[in-house]
Amino acid sequence: MSLADRLQAELDDIAAAGLTRRRRVLASPCGRIVIVDGRELLNFASNDYLGLAGDADLAAALADGARQWGAGSGASHLVSGHLEPHEKLETELTAFTGFARTLTFSTGYLANLAVTPTLAGRGAAVFADKLSHASLIDAMQLAKANGAAIHRYPHGDMAALEHQLAASTAATKLIVSDTVFSMDGDLAPLPQLLQLAERFDAWLVLDDAHGFGVLGEQGRGSLAHCGLPAAERILLMGTLGKAAGVGGAFVAGSATAIEYLLQKGRAYIFTTAAPPAIACALSRSLQRIAAGDELRQRLFAHIARLRDGAAGLPWRLLPSATAIQPLIVGDNAAAVALSTALWERGLWVPAIRPPTVPAGTARLRLSLSAAHTDDDIDRLLATLRELSGDSRNVC
Ligand SMILES: *Cc1c(COP(=O)(O)O)cnc(C)c1O
């Protein structure tokens, strides 16, 4: 069998299992309504929680930034690619998050790859929630290759984590967790995580991809939401392509930890800095987030409206208080059938299946946005009610 034949055999297996993934091409900007194949679809599939991705004001900041600073940064941050807009954005993020210092990255995936493997090498131990995001898992694989021991604890199980920490003799310990879990929408027990980190003298690495901009006063994120301080032992990763509506990410932490990442983080050092215009758009986005209480109020009103209305459906919403509202269908084929039926009725709601989520918990991942209207939520509920009649047999 040739090299390509072996790949094709695997692709055939994926297809036979009905798990081939396809991209949809959008003929419109990200927004409440998107155009695909010439059809308008009501969009419940993005992470654009505040509706900023298609915002004209941010697009103008991006365009102005490109006119002033050009298209590209030209090099990595440490060589010659760190321009004034990057520096300004870092300073603003530092003030906004309350940490001592911040580094910015082109993506959250890269930011996560820069943190855990850099802090956890030989003699270190990493403790992470079972439902950690794929980028955190890949970061742990790199830490493992560097000699760190990796421990996973059952989702949200603080007793199990405590047990693992107590049993560890590692000189350096890292607790790693999403703040808002990306497929379940639930919050990690952040106060308990910080307590355990303090008790066992561990770093606490938090991925606030779905909390930043959405939760807490002025959208400052999950720590603010829980009333927790920007403690020295916390490293906070936030993505800037979700609620912030643009792209990129940051890591905030103590001055020493951030300087260490700058000196030693391979995923920071060996990659070209994002275009400076992106930083210009993000500075504008940060202002919009801080002034965005009205957007967040609308988003949380939609969440309440959806949860009230979904009470009578045959499918259960997971107990989530965030913009991620998973509707558990269970069976893989039934979840896909429901997603397809919604699509045919002009509603884009992705089905999420194993291995992304545990077997038997295939779901629709309803993602709400401040860009939605009350009528949009009602239409989604009415369509789900209509389909619940047809689908009762399938479930
Ligand atoms: C989206 C996401 C990331 C990756 O961020 P990108 O900027 O999209 O690369 C990391 N962690 C979590 C929990 C995410 O949801």
Side-chain angles (χ1 to χ4, degrees), residues 27-74:
S28 65
C30 173
R32 167 183 167 258
I33 301 275
V34 290
I35 298 174
V36 180
D37 298 335
R39 287 180 58 220
E40 286 195 348
L41 291 157
L42 190 49
N43 182 8
F44 292 99
S46 86
N47 302 308
D48 182 25
Y49 303 128
L50 299 181
L52 293 176
D55 185 86
D57 178 38
L58 292 199
L62 184 67
D64 290 347
R67 267 187 287 274
Q68 186 174 356
W69 296 99
S73 65

Side-chain angles (χ1 to χ4, degrees), residues 249-262:
F250 67 87
V251 178
S254 70
T256 306
I258 295 299
E259 179 64 17
Y260 191 81
L261 293 184
L262 186 151

Side-chain angles (χ1 to χ4, degrees), residues 266-351:
R266 296 173 66 83
Y268 184 73
I269 298 167
F270 297 107
T271 185
T272 301
I278 299 283
C280 296
L282 283 167
S283 286
R284 187 74 191 105
S285 170
L286 211 50
Q287 293 172 351
R288 296 287 299 277
I289 288 173
D293 282 346
E294 204 181 305
L295 297 176
R296 280 180 291 276
Q297 273 162 23
R298 203 178 309 151
L299 172 61
F300 282 96
H302 291 337
I303 293 168
R305 194 178 187 90
L306 177 75
R307 294 196 68 88
D308 284 351
L313 293 173
W315 309 287
R316 188 171 56 89
L317 277 177
L318 285 183
S320 158
T322 68
I324 302 165
Q325 293 289 325
L327 191 70
I328 300 294
V329 178
D331 179 70
N332 295 355
V336 173
L338 187 54
S339 173
T340 305
L342 287 164
W343 178 274
E344 284 162 359
R345 287 159 181 77
L347 298 155
W348 190 353
V349 186

Side-chain angles (χ1 to χ4, degrees), residues 171-250:
T172 299
K173 300 185 183 78
L174 255 77
I175 302 171
V176 173
S177 181
D178 297 39
T179 55
V180 176
F181 287 88
S182 52
M183 294 302 144
D184 289 47
D186 59 327
L187 262 165
L190 297 179
Q192 290 93 319
L193 284 171
L194 183 55
Q195 269 172 18
L196 287 173
E198 279 165 356
R199 198 170 125 209
F200 291 95
D201 193 23
W203 292 105
L204 179 57
V205 176
L206 295 175
D207 178 337
D208 205 22
H210 301 279
F212 183 77
V214 174
L215 298 177
E217 190 201 349
Q218 291 189 301
R220 286 170 203 266
S222 300
L223 287 171
H225 174 78
C226 295
L228 294 174
E232 285 230 329
R233 64 180 64 254
I234 296 177
L235 282 141
L236 179 75
M237 196 287 286
T239 59
L240 300 169
K242 288 171 179 155
V246 184
F250 67 87

